[in-house]
């Protein structure tokens, strides 16, 4: 049959011609051939599409003939490729892949009516798919490392993916592209989690231990947005996760199909890029300090695997440490004998890190606050010694730092925290309780719901945010201002007459992120039930506005630390006596927005007492006199403090 002879029309009762002519009428109308000589005609025996030819060649099959000829109506309803007078597009399946007029129309006929735009969309989609895959491979997992130079590199993983997809047969190629694309999507989600964790905790997301923190995130959303806001946010995150996986998978599938249709070009391009990568990697070629040939994505995955392996093995390591306690067998009458009769207050100042003292932008104001605090204490007969502790966390995770300080164990993740707080490991506070000579209490204004872990710390009574008598406003995250918390402690416990000595764990939360708005100290007699803070809050800053500028964030952080320090030293001056022993410290450094990328996890720690015998017991520690530790003052890991403190104030200490 000549290719100028129209094919025989098969009955088609499901579709009408676009001009209103029925399929039966169209079958009697003369067909118009709009193909040039030498162009594959849409007839039985004509050449198949480029994609089919490539797929069959890969599978070892010769192109076969079309089983069903196209209807004559296709001459008028041909998609954009057939409308072109020269040749079919290599990016589209050939005519033989169409099975019905409705399928050939595509996008409700839009592709037929606007063939050039449709081709531009196809090409643009392919380009975007390629860009997406390359960006996923190259993007760092830290916001502070994302620069233009990050994307001006050649990832070896992209070359490897292209090579794998080119050698696979059609079906295996698509399945592989789908799976690897979804995997790229998952790694993108993980990198986004890393970005968030680096911004708050200065570390990546832990695939073993950090999943439990998602519950805390949901609780935070509930507290901030309400139950409906929490549900909508969770649904949004799930939808976004599914979208990322689908888009990345479809992007790699599309690239695989394009490479199959342009196999010779794809093979040559892959070989050229592979050769270029080897040369650049071998010679260490760089542009603007950025290495051109990179295998960063592979290294990222390797590090991830190593983190997981270490995490899975951490439980066994920690279990051995958990059961080693130098004071476990010490008789109660020999514990903490150097502090008998004293009120001992362990006070944590939220986010009070070394950056507050060392950073040139904050140091002058903080130094003034510390000097004023020293003057207050000296006027009341107190002296102080200060040093440095290294916290297991930074940015957030206060409960991990508190537990490290009190248990004498390095609590660096949530799994260790849960293991410790469900064990019989004694804490510094529980040892005070064990002696029977102290009433142990907790002032924890940051706790707003059930806190079963509180019993682990050996506290006779716990005052959370609902039991301090505060009727004023929240200051962002902070439920109770520090000055009011300390005054409540005075009224509820410390100021009582004819009482036993007190050991108190006090959490000062006003310096908690986001540091806006913040309270300021007022006359202690005016505190009342806290309603006075309504006006103070209204006069404060707006956190949304503050967090638009890193400089303003640092300023508000510094003011918050000053407020906490002023509240504490004023309380000691006002209510302290010969039996008062205060140990206060920061729990961790603030978020990287404040630390400026510093990797230090050091926090100040200070002991304050009026009785000189108390400070004499730690004279050999080499700590700095006053509230400000010297830059070269001794630095210990935070988990070492418990044993050193108990040794210094134990019976054997002379």
């Amino acid at each position: 049959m000549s290719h100028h002879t129209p094919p025989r029309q098969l009955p088609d009762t499901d579709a009408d011609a676009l001009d209103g002519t029925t399929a039966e009428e169209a079958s009697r109308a003369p067909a118009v051939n709009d193909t040039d000589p030498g162009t594959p005609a849409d007839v039985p025996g004509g050449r198949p599409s480029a994609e089919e030819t490539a797929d069959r060649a890969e599978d070892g099959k010769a192109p076969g003939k079309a089983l069903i000829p196209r209807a004559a109506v296709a001459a008028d309803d041909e998609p954009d490729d057939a409308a072109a007078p020269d040749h079919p597009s290599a990016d589209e399946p050939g005519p033989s892949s169409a099975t019905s007029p409705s399928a050939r129309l595509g996008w409700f006929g839009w592709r037929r009516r606007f063939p050039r735009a449709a081709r531009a969309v196809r090409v643009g989609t392919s380009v975007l798919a390629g860009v997406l895959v390359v960006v996923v491979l190259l993007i760092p997992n830290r916001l502070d490392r994302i620069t233009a130079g990050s994307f001006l590199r050649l990832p070896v993983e992209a070359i490897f993916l292209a090579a794998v997809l080119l050698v696979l047969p059609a079906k295996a190629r698509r399945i592989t592209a789908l799976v690897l694309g979804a995997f790229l999507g998952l790694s993108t989600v993980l990198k986004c989690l890393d970005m968030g964790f680096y911004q708050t905790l200065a570390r990546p997301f832990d695939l073993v231990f950090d999943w439990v923190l998602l519950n805390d995130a949901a609780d935070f959303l509930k507290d901030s947005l309400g139950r409906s806001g929490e549900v909508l946010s969770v649904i949004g995150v799930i939808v976004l996760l599914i979208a990322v996986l689908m888009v990345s998978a479809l992007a790699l599938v599309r690239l695989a199909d394009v490479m199959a249709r342009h196999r010779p070009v794809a093979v040559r391009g892959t070989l050229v890029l592979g050769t270029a990568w080897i040369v650049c990697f071998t010679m260490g070629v760089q542009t603007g300090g950025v290495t051109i040939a990179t295998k960063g994505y592979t290294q990222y995955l390797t590090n991830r695997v190593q983190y997981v392996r270490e995490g899975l093995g951490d439980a066994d390591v920690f279990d051995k440490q958990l059961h080693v306690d130098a004071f476990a067998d010490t008789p109660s009458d020999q514990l903490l004998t150097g502090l008998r009769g004293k009120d001992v207050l362990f006070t944590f100042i939220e986010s009070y890190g070394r950056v507050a003292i060392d950073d040139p932008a904050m140091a002058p104001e903080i130094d003034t606050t510390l000097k004023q605090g020293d003057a207050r204490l000296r006027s009341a007969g107190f002296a102080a010694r200060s040093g440095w502790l290294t916290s297991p966390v930074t940015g957030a995770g206060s409960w991990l730092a508190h537990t490290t300080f009190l248990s004498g164990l390095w609590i660096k993740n949530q799994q260790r925290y849960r293991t410790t707080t469900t064990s019989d490991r004694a804490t510094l506070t529980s040892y005070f309780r064990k002696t029977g000579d102290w009433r142990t209490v907790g002032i924890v204004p940051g706790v707003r719901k059930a806190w079963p872990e509180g019993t682990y710390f050996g506290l006779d009574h716990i005052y959370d945010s609902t039991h301090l008598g505060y009727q004023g406003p929240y200051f962002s995250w902070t439920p109770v201002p520090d000055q009011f918390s300390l005054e409540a402690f005075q009224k509820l416990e410390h100021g009582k007459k004819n009482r036993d000595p007190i050991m108190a764990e006090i959490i000062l939360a006003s310096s908690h992120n986001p540091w806006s708005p913040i309270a300021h100290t007022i006359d202690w007699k005016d505190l009342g039930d806290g309603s006075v803070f309504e006006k103070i809050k209204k006069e404060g800053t707006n956190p949304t506005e503050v967090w638009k500028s890193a400089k303003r964030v640092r300023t508000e952080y510094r003011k918050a630390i000053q407020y906490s320090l002023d509240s504490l030293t004023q309380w000691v001056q006002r209510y302290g006596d010969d039996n008062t022993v205060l140990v206060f410290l920061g729990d961790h450094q603030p978020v990287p927005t404040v630390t400026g990328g510093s990797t230090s996890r050091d926090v100040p720690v200070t002991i304050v007492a009026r009785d000189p015998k108390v400070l004499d017991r730690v004279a050999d520690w080499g700590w700095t006199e006053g509230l400000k530790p010297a830059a070269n003052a001794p630095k210990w890991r935070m988990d070492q403090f418990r044993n050193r403190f108990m040794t210094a104030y134990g019976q054997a200490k002379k």
Side-chain angles (χ1 to χ4, degrees):
M1 178 184 293
S2 169
H3 66 273
H4 291 287
T5 303
R8 184 178 179 180
Q9 174 65 41
L10 292 179
D12 189 350
T13 60
D14 296 331
D16 294 335
L18 293 179
D19 59 358
T21 305
T22 65
E24 181 179 356
E25 292 170 338
S27 67
R28 296 196 294 269
V32 179
N33 191 328
D34 59 355
T35 59
D36 294 334
T39 302
D42 202 3
V43 297
R47 288 184 294 175
S49 68
E51 183 178 358
E52 287 182 347
T53 303
D55 291 349
R56 291 173 182 173
E58 293 172 5
D59 293 333
K61 300 177 182 179
K65 294 184 178 181
L67 298 179
I68 301 177
R70 295 178 62 190
V73 70
D76 292 332
D77 293 346
E78 189 69 28
D80 52 293
D81 288 343
D86 47 359
H87 55 79
S89 168
D91 291 340
E92 279 296 309
S96 62
S97 64
T99 59
S100 70
S102 60
R104 293 193 302 276
L105 289 176
W107 303 347
F108 305 100
W110 184 86
R111 293 167 58 191
R112 179 185 62 79
R113 292 192 299 272
F114 306 100
R116 292 184 178 178
R119 180 174 176 79
V121 169
R122 288 195 307 274
V123 174
T125 304
S126 299
V127 171
L128 288 176
V131 170
L132 174 64
V133 171
V134 173
V135 167
V136 168
L137 293 173
L138 290 177
I139 190 170
N141 64 335
R142 294 179 57 169
L143 291 175
D144 58 340
R145 293 182 179 177
I146 298 179
T147 62
S150 303
F151 305 99
L152 301 179
R153 298 180 293 168
L154 183 60
V156 69
E157 298 83 10
I159 301 170
F160 178 78
L161 279 175
V164 170
L165 295 175
L166 283 171
V167 300
L168 292 175
K171 185 175 181 180
R173 182 183 68 241
R174 291 191 179 93
I175 293 175
T176 301
L178 191 67
V179 173
L180 292 179
F183 181 80
L184 289 177
L186 284 174
S187 66
T188 302
V189 172
L190 181 57
K191 285 186 176 182
C192 290
L193 287 172
D194 285 348
M195 292 176 190
F197 270 66
Y198 271 116
Q199 286 299 104
T200 55
L201 303 177
R203 65 170 178 83
F205 180 79
D206 193 318
L207 282 167
V208 178
F209 300 116
D210 283 341
W211 296 108
V212 294
L213 297 181
L214 299 182
N215 290 331
D216 296 327
D219 290 339
F220 176 79
L221 290 173
K222 184 178 179 180
D223 293 339
S224 303
L225 307 176
R227 178 63 178 173
S228 298
E230 177 196 8
V231 172
L232 291 175
S233 298
V234 171
I235 292 175
V237 170
I238 294 174
V239 171
L240 182 61
L241 173 61
I242 295 174
V244 169
L245 298 182
M246 290 182 61
V247 169
S248 59
L250 293 176
L252 197 56
V253 169
R254 183 169 185 84
L255 290 178
D257 290 343
V258 170
M259 287 191 296
R261 289 195 294 270
H262 301 277
R263 186 181 184 83
V265 175
V267 170
R268 289 195 296 270
T270 301
L271 290 174
V272 170
L273 291 176
T275 303
W277 188 91
I278 293 174
V279 172
C280 291
F281 183 79
T282 303
M283 300 182 65
V285 178
Q286 294 185 344
T287 300
V290 178
T291 302
I292 299 300
T294 178
K295 54 179 181 177
Y297 185 76
T298 301
Q299 187 62 49
Y300 173 75
L301 295 180
T302 301
N303 290 340
R304 277 294 168 191
V305 172
Q306 183 62 29
Y307 292 155
V308 170
R309 291 178 60 185
E310 292 177 355
L312 293 175
D314 183 67
D316 293 335
V317 174
F318 185 66
D319 184 67
K320 296 177 181 178
Q321 300 172 353
L322 184 67
H323 296 94
V324 177
D325 186 349
F327 299 93
D329 298 325
T330 303
S332 60
D333 60 352
Q334 297 180 21
L335 292 170
L336 302 164
T337 55
L339 293 172
R340 298 297 171 95
K342 305 293 185 184
D343 295 321
V344 184
L345 317 178
F346 294 104
T347 304
F348 295 92
I349 299 180
E350 171 67 35
S351 299
Y352 178 33
R354 185 163 190 158
V355 64
I357 292 176
D358 288 352
D359 190 283
M362 293 181 276
E365 290 84 356
I366 295 294
D367 189 57
T368 298
T369 297
L370 293 174
K371 287 181 179 179
Q372 292 174 348
D374 273 327
R376 291 191 193 102
L377 296 177
R378 285 197 300 270
S379 68
F382 287 89
R385 300 290 184 273
S386 299
W388 301 104
L389 297 178
T390 300
S391 175
V393 294
T394 183
S398 301
W399 62 97
L400 304 182
H402 299 171
T403 311
T404 295
F405 179 83
L406 296 173
S407 71
L409 296 170
W410 192 248
I411 312 299
K412 62 180 181 179
N413 56 52
Q414 192 69 8
Q415 182 62 38
R416 287 191 170 202
Y417 173 76
R418 291 193 171 186
T419 300
T420 302
T421 55
T422 55
S423 71
D424 58 358
R425 169 81 179 194
T427 63
L428 185 55
T429 47
S430 65
Y431 273 126
F432 275 89
R433 184 181 186 182
K434 181 180 179 180
T435 64
D437 289 338
W438 281 274
R439 170 173 167 79
T440 58
V441 299
I443 307 296
V444 288
V447 175
R448 289 174 279 183
K449 58 182 182 180
W451 187 42
E453 296 93 335
T455 57
Y456 163 74
F457 293 102
L459 302 175
D460 294 319
H461 192 81
I462 297 175
Y463 297 92
D464 59 22
S465 61
T466 62
H467 294 89
L468 294 175
Y470 181 69
Q471 301 299 318
Y474 278 27
F475 284 78
S476 290
W477 185 90
T478 307
V480 185
D482 291 348
Q483 188 181 11
F484 190 94
S485 295
L486 290 168
E487 179 67 13
F489 169 63
Q490 175 65 22
K491 292 179 179 179
L492 295 170
E493 292 287 346
H494 188 265
K496 290 182 177 180
K497 297 180 179 180
N498 301 319
R499 58 170 177 79
D500 292 331
I502 296 173
M503 191 290 318
E505 177 187 354
I506 303 174
I507 312 299
L508 300 183
S510 288
S511 51
H512 193 288
N513 181 340
W515 310 301
S516 175
I518 54 176
H520 59 76
T521 55
I522 60 176
D523 192 306
W524 292 78
K525 297 179 181 179
D526 296 336
L527 288 173
D529 65 356
S531 300
V532 66
F533 286 101
E534 291 282 2
K535 181 180 179 181
I536 296 175
K537 180 180 180 180
K538 291 179 180 178
E539 295 172 348
T541 55
N542 186 327
T544 303
E545 294 299 320
V546 167
W547 279 81
K548 291 180 179 180
S549 166
K551 182 178 180 180
R552 290 196 65 185
V553 171
R554 292 158 67 85
T555 298
E556 296 305 305
Y557 164 78
R558 183 256 301 166
K559 291 179 179 179
I561 295 298
Q562 288 180 283
Y563 168 69
S564 296
L565 290 170
D566 283 339
S567 298
L568 186 58
T569 55
Q570 286 183 23
W571 184 91
V572 175
Q573 180 188 34
R574 184 178 179 86
Y575 297 117
D577 55 31
D578 291 343
N579 291 324
T580 300
V581 177
L582 169 67
V583 179
F584 74 92
L585 67 151
D587 48 15
H588 54 70
Q589 287 263 60
V591 296
T593 303
V594 178
T595 60
S598 171
T599 58
S600 172
R601 295 189 177 188
D602 296 346
V603 297
V605 57
T606 301
I607 298 180
V608 178
R610 182 182 286 176
D611 185 348
K613 295 180 181 179
V614 173
L615 295 181
D616 287 345
R617 287 202 170 225
V618 297
D620 58 350
W621 286 4
W623 283 16
T624 307
E625 183 177 352
L627 300 180
K628 179 183 177 181
N632 61 348
K635 181 175 65 176
W636 309 333
R637 285 196 354 167
M638 190 175 282
D639 58 336
Q640 296 175 345
F641 181 86
R642 189 199 75 156
N643 285 4
R644 288 176 179 265
F645 184 87
M646 293 188 65
T647 299
Y649 294 103
Q651 187 176 26
K653 189 72 177 180
K654 302 298 183 181

